[in-house]
Amino acid sequence: MGFKCGIVGLPNVGKSTLFNALTQTAAAEAANYPFCTIEPNVGEVGVPDPRLTKLAAVAKSGQIIPTRLTFVDIAGLVKGASKGEGLGNQFLGHIREVDAIAYVLRCFEDGDVTHVEGRVDPTADAETVETELMLSDLESLEKRRNNTEKKAKTGDKEAKAQLTLIDRALELLREGKPARLVEHAPEEAPAFEALQLLTSKPVLYVCNVDEASAATGNAHSKMVEEKAKAEGAGCVIISAKIESEFAGLPEEDRDEFLKDLGLDEPGLNKLIHEGYKLLDLVTYFTVGPKEARAWTIHRGTKAPQAAGVIHTDFEKGFIRAETIAYDDYVNLGGENGAKDAGKMRLEGKEYVVKDGDVMHFRFAN
């Protein structure tokens, strides 16, 4: 899998520039006016993971296939989007399809780039976007509540459970709080997800700063970091301008470019790390002479469901998983060395897959 991240924000905050840089394409037209992105642009990137390269070297794999991250660049929202202002309804619908939402916030001063609100205030921008999403959720739930209540009165257990969740969400939304703050038990999670609320999705704040602030941030980004910390949201500092330049450089010049700017890694890597942490994702590997491949799953996933990410038949016919920890695979020279050292384990249906596990699934056809 990997994950799908929606990029949202007000017009002219650098969303499309960032999208272009992250996906190393020119699919999104970056322009200094609202609504330059009429349809959501979708781009996929390989998730950088140095462990995969090491595993491939040990196994002499013919091909390296990283797991994928999908970015969806959604056009700039404005006040009134929930009522169809700008191109609101169309864009709000696209947000329902993503796993997490990255709020790109303008944290730079530039008189040549107009701001739709006529000022630079990233926390206010975040609140404008969130308010539109909350209003959309509020309207959606209010429309839905009457029908659900009627079903619940007939004794429909599913409707009763959903009505409880709707009322909890409505209470928060009416207080101006996002639906992701709704408390629910693990067994209620599927019913809550079925509500498809925009503000129930995890949020990652992306502070788009000027070049000079890329390594340390600035006063604007510090305000956002405080907001993210208070909310338990993710936060990343990125300069879309730097990412754009980085994307156009030859591979051999990239490390030096980052070093000169005081950066340890490109913004894409930071965004991916934060996204994985936010969604509690881990990676396992399948390795052989043909290919070394990474697979993304949620932390806590058991072996049969992890196998199902490769193919549903693997999950249905799961027998066992031959498992080697990453360090053992690399340090002992691969599968045979790990086997000889007694480091290959046979795991059954209850095994919870760990980050870095190298796995081979046995299944019945």
Side-chain angles (χ1 to χ4, degrees):
M1 47 177 273
F3 68 95
K4 187 182 274 192
C5 184
I7 300 178
V8 302
L10 297 179
N12 298 341
V13 296
K15 278 188 321 85
S16 293
T17 302
L18 184 63
F19 173 86
N20 288 346
L22 295 179
T23 57
Q24 297 189 20
T25 72
E29 178 196 358
N32 184 23
Y33 56 89
F35 314 128
C36 62
T37 311
I38 304 302
E39 290 294 331
N41 288 282
V42 179
E44 278 202 342
V45 295
V47 173
D49 193 328
R51 295 176 299 178
L52 187 58
T53 310
K54 283 189 181 177
L55 290 168
V58 170
K60 297 182 173 55
S61 305
Q63 197 177 4
I64 295 175
I65 305 175
T67 189
R68 313 292 291 173
L69 161 61
T70 303
F71 285 113
V72 183
D73 178 27
I74 298 162
L77 295 174
V78 293
K79 279 183 182 175
S82 60
K83 303 294 180 191
E85 290 294 324
L87 297 172
N89 290 334
Q90 188 180 344
F91 302 148
L92 291 169
H94 294 308
I95 299 171
R96 296 189 199 282
E97 309 304 316
V98 302
D99 299 308
I101 305 175
Y103 287 25
V104 180
L105 303 172
R106 177 170 168 173
C107 294
F108 64 89
E109 304 279 351
D110 187 340
D112 294 332
V113 182
T114 59
H115 189 289
V116 73
E117 296 288 341
R119 48 94 183 107
V120 177
D121 185 341
T123 55
D125 287 357
E127 282 158 18
T128 297
V129 174
E130 184 111 292
T131 297
E132 293 307 319
L133 301 188
M134 286 193 289
L135 288 170
S136 179
D137 282 346
L138 197 56
E139 187 181 356
S140 161
L141 288 181
E142 284 172 342
K143 281 180 181 173
R144 201 166 177 170
R145 193 188 181 285
N146 286 344
N147 284 339
T148 308
E149 188 177 30
K150 283 175 189 172
K151 282 184 186 175
K153 282 177 178 174
T154 67
D156 186 317
K157 286 184 181 177
E158 199 174 301
K160 277 183 183 176
Q162 201 162 60
L163 185 64
T164 304
L165 289 168
I166 287 172
D167 285 341
R168 276 186 230 159
L170 280 172
E171 187 181 347
L172 277 175
L173 290 164
R174 285 168 182 156
E175 290 172 5
K177 295 174 183 173
R180 59 182 170 275
L181 300 181
V182 171
E183 291 182 10
H184 56 80
E187 60 270 19
E188 293 178 302
F192 185 63
E193 282 172 28
L195 296 176
Q196 285 196 301
L197 300 176
L198 302 174
T199 61
S200 68
K201 296 179 185 296
V203 165
L204 175 60
Y205 293 119
V206 179
C207 301
N208 183 16
V209 299
D210 55 281
E211 290 176 89
S213 307
T216 57
N218 57 27
H220 292 308
S221 67
K222 280 181 174 54
M223 286 167 59
V224 179
E225 285 179 296
E226 284 170 20
K227 178 179 171 64
K229 192 176 178 183
E231 296 173 3
C235 187
V236 177
I237 295 169
I238 291 179
S239 167
K241 195 158 185 263
I242 287 174
E243 293 305 307
S244 197
E245 289 173 27
F246 178 82
L249 287 175
E251 196 75 37
E252 61 272 16
D253 296 338
R254 291 182 169 185
D255 286 345
E256 193 63 34
F257 176 78
L258 292 174
K259 191 178 170 186
D260 288 346
L261 292 164
L263 299 172
D264 297 326
E265 59 183 352
L268 171 64
N269 295 28
K270 288 197 284 185
L271 191 56
I272 288 170
H273 298 326
E274 201 60 44
Y276 268 56
K277 200 194 319 180
L278 187 68
L279 291 170
D280 210 13
L281 301 174
V282 296
T283 303
Y284 77 86
F285 305 98
T286 53
V287 185
K290 187 181 174 186
E291 65 180 37
R293 187 162 185 160
W295 305 89
T296 302
I297 53 173
H298 287 281
R299 191 182 304 278
T301 299
K302 292 183 179 179
Q305 288 70 48
V309 172
I310 300 175
H311 198 288
T312 51
D313 287 351
F314 285 23
E315 181 176 355
K316 287 175 190 169
F318 180 89
I319 299 171
R320 65 177 182 272
E322 295 172 357
T323 309
I324 304 168
Y326 168 78
D327 286 341
D328 290 334
Y329 192 99
V330 172
N331 296 336
L332 297 168
E335 188 177 317
N336 290 334
K339 272 183 185 173
D340 293 344
K343 293 294 184 180
M344 176 185 275
R345 310 183 310 277
L346 296 180
E347 302 288 2
K349 291 183 178 180
E350 292 305 308
Y351 177 68
V352 175
V353 178
K354 295 178 177 62
D355 186 50
D357 277 351
V358 180
M359 309 193 79
H360 179 72
F361 297 106
R362 298 289 182 188
F363 68 103
N365 288 320

